[in-house]
Amino acid sequence: MPEPIRKLVIAGGGTAGWMTAAWFARLLHGAPVEIVLVESDEIGIVGVGEATTPYMHLFDRALGIDENDFLKFTGGTFKLGIEFVDWGRIGNAYHHSFGMPGRDYGPMPFHSVWMRNALSDPADTLAAYNLQTQAALHGKFMRPNGANSPLADITYALHFDAALYAKYLRGLAEDAGVRRIEGRIEQVRLTADGSIEGLSLTEGRSIDGDLFIDCTGFRSLLLGEALGIGFEDWSHWLPCDRAWAVPTAREGAPLPFTRSTARSAGWQWRIPLQHRDGNGLVFASAFMDEAEAVDQLVANLEGPPLADPRLIRFQTGRRKKVWEKNCVAIGLAAGFLEPLESTAIMLIQKAITYLQYLFPDQGFSAADRDLYNADMSREYEIVRDFLILHYRANERSDSEFWRYCSSMPIPDSLENRIDLFRSRGRILEVPGEQFRVPSWLAVMWGQGLRPAAPDPLAMTLNETEVTNWLAGMRDVIARCRDHMPDHADFIARHCAAQTAH
Ligand code: FAD
């Protein structure tokens, strides 16, 4: 029988490293497995992942995190979705909100019935059927309240301060027994069969282990550099490769959503926290140089900057394998898809969960490894296609960047989805996908894609009945929205940030 894993070494203490440490410390509590995390304060963390998806609740619940305490600690706010401004075309704005819009009409999906009406009546907006969008537009928030109404299904994610998040996770992990080692990894030592034997640190220290998790960020020190696993570059589909990031002073009440505003060679984010706003310009250096980009960001800030803008360079794509020998890469060390839909922390969670199901012994089953690599490839590709959609489906012709995006070749998987939608408004539902029908609908419709004709079955329905049914639904959503408290009041009552922030 192969020996069990007795020592788990996590290299890197950013969001990926500490999430992994906290998770496995909890899972392996009481088992004879030592968990060690090594990180270097001198190198630091990327420190920009501040917006999430609702998937995060699964992680928090499993770790027993009290959401109010968490938000107090990290100065966090609630996120009902993302507002896309000037995407598709200048002057356009739409929300990709969480949760379901409307409800199904008997056996017919909501979107088929609604689109039949909306195709002939542009005033019939998707926003009117999604409670999250309505709440976002009116600055409202509450958690689901269990009533028999759309209020029971409120779906949300969180915004938080990335540096405080890493600190919070570190506290959880250390309390659960993870040993942190401060030091810089100088060398990754390999065995004769090419597995990792240990890490050599500055001042001659060394850490050996059985399973190594590479969370060293973009450099991918273990998987990429030491084990030589190459990178699959997706920048021809997602050309943004730089970001300037800068915090600004909080002015007015924090909005319960992330805002993404398209700019001439990329887009600008604004993430509202309780104590500040996070801002950044994500841009393509092939279309705009760094100096012009920082000027554009600073010119479009809504509050006074609290620090100098910081430049982050990245490459979009993923490692060809994320598990090789006795090393699994998680987080930026495994790959990166630009932050347009705040998916990186979700992918970290996915990586951790799949690893839990396929947790190895020292025999390192090749079948398990292959399955893990296939699962993670699929996860990255789904997110990739969803992001490309935002760029490809645009009617902007005001800059070379947008002209490139609207004519670039795209993966067949995405081409197929767009063709289906353009024909009869059909939306492919793939089991297990993070982005479900409402997300594809919000972005395809929001970016300006329209079907040539409605779903033929929807055309068989009685027009007056459909119109009345839609009006009734809009009314219910509006009344639920009116019942909700202001986002700022909700925060003040339940989770106001600790004054130290
Ligand atoms: P890092 O934070 O870079 O951590 C790497 C760790 O490795 C550090 O502790 C470092 O000290 C250590 N290390 C590296 N080399 C060595 C060495 N030689 N010796 C010892 N230690 C070493 N994600 C989201 O989910 N939502 C968002 O809104 C979002 N926005 C983003 C915006 C931008 C512009 C970018 C670039 C990313 C964004 N992300 C976002 C992604 C998110 O920031 C990362 O996925 C997340 O922070 C995890 O990073 P990491 O832990 O993999 O790497």
Side-chain angles (χ1 to χ4, degrees):
M1 293 283 278
E3 289 288 308
I5 299 293
R6 296 224 164 75
K7 188 164 176 189
L8 174 62
V9 177
I10 300 169
T15 298
W18 284 116
M19 281 178 79
T20 307
W23 185 269
F24 283 103
R26 176 117 182 167
L27 181 77
L28 300 171
H29 184 70
V33 184
E34 185 187 357
I35 305 181
V36 172
L37 183 147
V38 57
E39 69 173 323
S40 159
D41 280 344
E42 187 195 332
I43 295 173
I45 63 171
V46 68
V48 273
E50 307 206 311
T52 55
T53 69
Y55 194 64
M56 196 192 168
H57 297 303
L58 295 180
F59 184 82
D60 291 354
R61 275 186 217 126
L63 287 188
I65 292 174
D66 178 291
E67 192 171 275
N68 285 338
D69 284 349
F70 174 76
L71 291 169
K72 285 178 197 169
F73 187 91
T74 59
T77 64
F78 296 95
K79 173 180 172 184
L80 292 163
I82 305 175
E83 182 189 31
F84 289 94
V85 179
D86 292 339
W87 283 84
R89 66 194 143 72
I90 290 177
N92 183 39
Y94 72 92
H95 281 248
H96 168 207
S97 298
F98 304 129
M100 307 291 284
R103 59 191 161 79
D104 293 346
Y105 189 88
M108 298 272 320
F110 164 78
H111 66 270
S112 294
V113 183
W114 166 73
M115 262 192 278
R116 168 198 156 145
N117 213 47
L119 278 171
S120 54
D121 177 9
D124 187 7
T125 64
L126 190 56
Y129 300 90
N130 187 309
L131 180 54
Q132 286 71 206
T133 309
Q134 283 302 307
L137 289 167
H138 290 79
K140 303 223 165 183
F141 180 77
M142 65 189 264
R143 294 192 175 105
N145 76 350
N148 184 21
S149 83
L151 291 168
D153 301 318
I154 293 171
T155 310
Y156 65 95
L158 304 174
H159 301 121
F160 47 71
D161 183 307
L164 295 172
Y165 185 46
K167 204 166 147 190
Y168 185 89
L169 289 169
R170 177 178 163 184
L172 281 185
E174 287 187 321
D175 287 350
V178 174
R179 187 159 61 92
R180 175 187 183 272
I181 298 176
E182 167 62 33
R184 193 183 183 108
I185 302 161
E186 298 266 278
Q187 197 205 344
V188 179
R189 285 178 283 108
L190 303 183
T191 59
D193 81 341
S195 299
I196 297 180
E197 181 182 60
L199 309 176
S200 302
L201 311 187
T202 35
E203 295 152 15
R205 287 171 302 156
S206 131
I207 306 173
D208 290 354
D210 303 321
L211 173 64
F212 290 81
I213 312 290
D214 185 351
C215 298
T216 58
F218 287 125
R219 210 171 138 195
S220 194
L221 209 56
L222 281 59
L223 186 84
E225 289 192 12
L227 298 185
I229 300 299
F231 191 81
E232 194 172 318
D233 183 356
W234 288 340
S235 53
H236 49 297
W237 289 319
L238 292 165
C240 290
D241 60 354
R242 303 273 193 283
W244 283 105
V246 67
T248 52
R250 160 114 294 286
E251 293 196 334
L255 299 173
F257 56 89
T258 302
R259 177 170 288 148
S260 163
T261 306
R263 302 280 181 222
S264 53
W267 59 278
Q268 183 169 335
W269 81 77
R270 193 182 68 168
I271 295 177
L273 303 181
Q274 294 185 46
H275 51 299
R276 62 167 173 80
D277 279 341
N279 308 269
L281 182 78
V282 174
F283 64 102
S285 62
F287 296 89
M288 178 179 271
D289 66 32
E290 291 171 1
E292 197 185 337
V294 75
D295 288 348
Q296 189 178 70
L297 171 65
V298 171
N300 286 299
L301 292 175
E302 287 173 33
L306 297 173
D308 289 335
R310 187 162 63 91
L311 181 67
I312 302 155
R313 298 194 175 97
F314 58 83
Q315 191 181 6
T316 289
R318 64 161 155 75
R319 294 277 150 196
K320 290 181 177 149
K321 286 187 236 171
V322 288
W323 184 342
E324 172 73 351
K325 304 282 185 188
N326 60 343
C327 173
V328 179
I330 296 183
L332 300 175
F336 181 55
L337 293 161
E338 59 138 286
L340 187 57
E341 287 278 354
S342 335
T343 42
I345 291 172
M346 181 182 86
L347 287 168
I348 292 172
Q349 255 182 277
K350 289 270 180 186
I352 292 172
T353 315
Y354 286 133
L355 183 58
Q356 171 183 326
Y357 291 129
L358 295 169
F359 197 78
D361 51 37
Q362 292 193 41
F364 292 101
S365 149
D368 286 358
R369 236 174 6 220
D370 290 349
L371 178 61
Y372 186 87
N373 283 323
D375 282 343
M376 287 310 297
S377 292
R378 194 188 57 248
E379 294 293 344
Y380 275 86
E381 283 165 20
I382 291 165
V383 174
R384 176 198 71 191
D385 283 7
F386 190 56
L387 298 185
I388 298 171
L389 172 67
H390 298 64
Y391 289 96
R392 175 57 194 267
N394 91 82
E395 295 159 16
R396 290 182 60 146
S397 56
D398 54 294
S399 72
E400 203 190 331
F401 172 79
W402 288 109
R403 286 192 292 276
Y404 168 79
C405 291
S406 59
S407 60
M408 66 186 172
I410 56 175
D412 291 345
S413 43
L414 177 59
E415 193 92 62
N416 183 28
R417 279 185 193 268
I418 293 178
D419 287 349
L420 268 172
F421 186 78
R422 277 212 167 111
S423 172
R424 296 291 180 271
R426 307 211 193 270
I427 302 174
L428 202 63
E429 172 97 302
V430 179
E433 267 196 3
Q434 274 314 303
F435 294 107
R436 312 271 314 274
V437 167
S439 293
W440 288 96
L441 172 66
V443 175
M444 291 205 262
W445 190 271
Q447 294 284 137
L449 294 184
R450 295 290 179 270
D455 179 336
L457 262 190
M459 293 307 287
T460 64
L461 303 175
N462 177 289
E463 190 175 351
T464 314
E465 275 176 25
V466 166
T467 312
N468 292 341
W469 177 75
L470 289 171
M473 216 162 4
R474 289 195 299 270
D475 182 54
V476 169
I477 296 291
R479 282 190 284 124
C480 288
R481 173 203 68 207
D482 292 344
H483 177 78
M484 293 172 73
D486 282 344
H487 178 230
D489 292 346
F490 189 90
I491 288 175
R493 207 161 342 119
H494 299 284
C495 46
Q498 290 165 357
T499 45
H501 308 321

